[in-house]
Amino acid sequence: MAKAKTPKPESTKTEAPTRTLDKIDVGRGNAKIKALREKFSRALDDPDMRAAMARYLQNLLRDETKS
């Protein structure tokens, strides 16, 4: 006689609780923005970096118009 298969238990994983805006740590974001601003301003002081950023932005604009 064949043994009856037992149904597999359903996954007990639950969805992650929804995060609210109150729980988001804005301090990390502010620090990251400050660091990016400093890095960007230092990059603008370098003529080679300015030229590279201009080329990059031009390429982005060209690609956007093609789409």
Side-chain angles (χ1 to χ4, degrees):
M1 209 176 188
K3 211 177 198 185
K5 289 186 177 180
T6 57
K8 290 183 180 180
E10 291 185 26
S11 177
T12 57
K13 290 183 180 178
T14 59
E15 292 183 21
T18 306
R19 291 175 46 175
T20 63
L21 292 177
D22 296 332
K23 293 182 181 180
I24 295 175
D25 180 19
V26 294
R28 286 183 50 202
N30 290 340
K32 190 174 259 190
I33 289 171
K34 182 180 177 185
L36 287 172
R37 282 186 179 151
E38 290 173 2
K39 189 175 183 178
F40 189 73
S41 67
R42 276 186 264 123
L44 286 178
D45 293 338
D46 180 16
D48 293 332
M49 183 57 73
R50 279 196 307 258
M53 286 193 292
R55 284 191 304 272
Y56 177 73
L57 292 172
Q58 288 171 346
N59 287 334
L60 284 177
L61 291 172
R62 283 188 202 118
D63 290 343
E64 185 178 296
T65 57
K66 289 180 184 177
S67 301

